[in-house]
């Protein structure tokens, strides 16, 4: 059974909003001016409405101010987080894990010591591979992973993207919108079935290619092979 989500108190929620404010203000130089405009413009209109008509416009104006500030915070904080995530290893998987909807994310199903990695995502559009790192190395990893998955996924669509800024690559700030625009090819039942098959596949330990290092050989293995 899934664990019930912990309730967040009002004080904790305010603390979270404060942290988002601080983070966005550090990352985005336009954030503070836009927040000021979101406060001053509705405030001026509220004062005029109160003077010309009635005090009933005061609470309405306050609600408009709060709404305008929240809209600015949401838009600019998302942009600031995308800018901060750009170039960070594992950022694509973290963004997918925080996306709304039924997305099954397995970070770094394939990786190298140079921080190149392939993330596996399963959702209604099918199977999605997200590659981060050096384009030449991750394209080789992508080819290996696609051949491995093709034996299991059957007729499910397979999409792959290399995260980056060069031609033919997907900027991380466009990751959400790109995946949300993919056609829905699988039902919820199909996603569950595919998720189980791929978890069984990725759970199998993969032996490294090449000769087995001496410190990883079982005791007596060499002597036994010579005696045959």
């Amino acid at each position: 059974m899934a664990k019930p989500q912990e309730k967040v108190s009002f004080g904790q929620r305010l603390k979270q909003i404060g942290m988002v404010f601080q983070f966005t203000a550090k990352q985005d130089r336009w954030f503070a001016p836009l927040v000021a405009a979101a406060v001053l413009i509705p405030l001026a209109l509220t004062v005029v409405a109160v003077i010309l008509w009635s005090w009933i416009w005061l609470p309405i104006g306050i609600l408009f101010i709060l709404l305008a500030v929240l809209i600015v915070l949401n838009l600019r904080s998302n942009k600031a987080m995308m800018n901060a995530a750009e170039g960070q290893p594992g950022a694509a998987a973290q963004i997918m894990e925080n996306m709304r909807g039924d997305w099954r994310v397995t970070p770094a199903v394939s990786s190298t010591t140079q921080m190149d990695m392939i993330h596996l995502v399963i959702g209604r559009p099918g199977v999605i591979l997200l590659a981060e790192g050096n384009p030449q190395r991750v394209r080789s990893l992508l080819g290996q992973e696609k051949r491995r998955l093709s034996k299991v996924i059957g007729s499910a669509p397979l999409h792959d993207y290399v995260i980056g800024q060069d031609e033919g690559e997907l900027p991380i700030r466009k990751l959400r919108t790109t995946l949300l625009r993919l056609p829905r090819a699988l039902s919820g039942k199909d996603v569950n079935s595919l998720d189980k098959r791929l978890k069984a596949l990725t759970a199998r330990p993969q032996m490294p290619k090449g000769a087995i290092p001496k410190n990883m050989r079982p005791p007596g293995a060499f002597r036994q092979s010579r005696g045959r």
Side-chain angles (χ1 to χ4, degrees), residues 7-207:
K7 292 184 178 180
V8 181
S9 66
F10 180 71
Q12 290 175 325
R13 183 70 67 186
L14 288 179
K15 186 177 180 180
Q16 291 174 354
I17 293 175
M19 292 172 64
V20 174
F21 259 93
Q22 292 178 0
F23 171 80
T24 309
K26 290 179 181 179
Q27 297 289 331
D28 185 0
R29 63 190 181 92
W30 290 105
F31 177 64
L34 288 172
V35 170
V39 172
L40 294 177
I41 294 175
L43 179 61
L45 294 175
T46 301
V47 171
V48 172
V50 169
I51 293 173
L52 294 180
W53 291 290
S54 170
W55 284 96
I56 195 173
W57 286 98
L58 182 59
I60 297 175
I62 293 174
L63 290 176
F64 271 108
I65 291 172
L66 292 174
L67 179 61
V69 171
L70 289 176
I71 290 173
V72 172
L73 176 63
N74 182 54
L75 294 176
R76 304 307 293 190
S77 63
N78 284 335
K79 183 177 180 180
M81 283 188 282
M82 292 298 106
N83 291 336
E86 197 165 340
Q88 298 296 321
Q94 186 174 6
I95 290 172
M96 291 302 305
E97 288 175 338
N98 293 323
M99 275 182 61
R100 294 181 179 178
D102 188 11
W103 302 97
R104 320 288 176 89
V105 184
T106 306
V109 292
S110 180
S111 60
T112 68
T113 56
Q114 292 85 10
M115 300 302 290
D116 308 305
M117 57 190 72
I118 307 294
H119 310 299
L120 172 64
V121 181
I122 307 169
R124 297 290 297 276
V127 179
I128 304 165
L129 294 174
L130 303 176
E132 291 184 290
N134 180 276
Q136 294 181 350
R137 292 195 297 263
V138 296
R139 290 188 191 281
S140 175
L141 286 178
L142 270 177
Q144 297 174 15
E145 201 62 30
K146 287 167 70 174
R147 288 191 294 271
R148 191 166 73 102
L149 296 180
S150 63
K151 304 174 183 178
V152 181
I153 64 175
S155 60
L158 177 60
H159 310 273
D160 61 276
Y161 301 94
V162 176
I163 305 299
Q165 295 292 331
D166 296 333
E167 186 177 356
E169 298 175 354
L170 177 64
I172 198 166
R173 66 187 62 188
K174 295 183 179 180
L175 176 59
R176 288 180 177 176
T177 55
T178 299
L179 298 193
L180 289 174
R181 289 174 182 172
L182 290 175
R184 276 22 183 181
L186 303 179
S187 65
K189 185 178 180 180
D190 294 333
V191 172
N192 288 332
S193 175
L194 190 58
D195 186 28
K196 291 179 181 178
R197 296 203 304 270
L198 292 183
K199 279 182 178 177
L201 177 67
T202 55
R204 297 173 186 170
Q206 298 181 19
M207 293 299 294

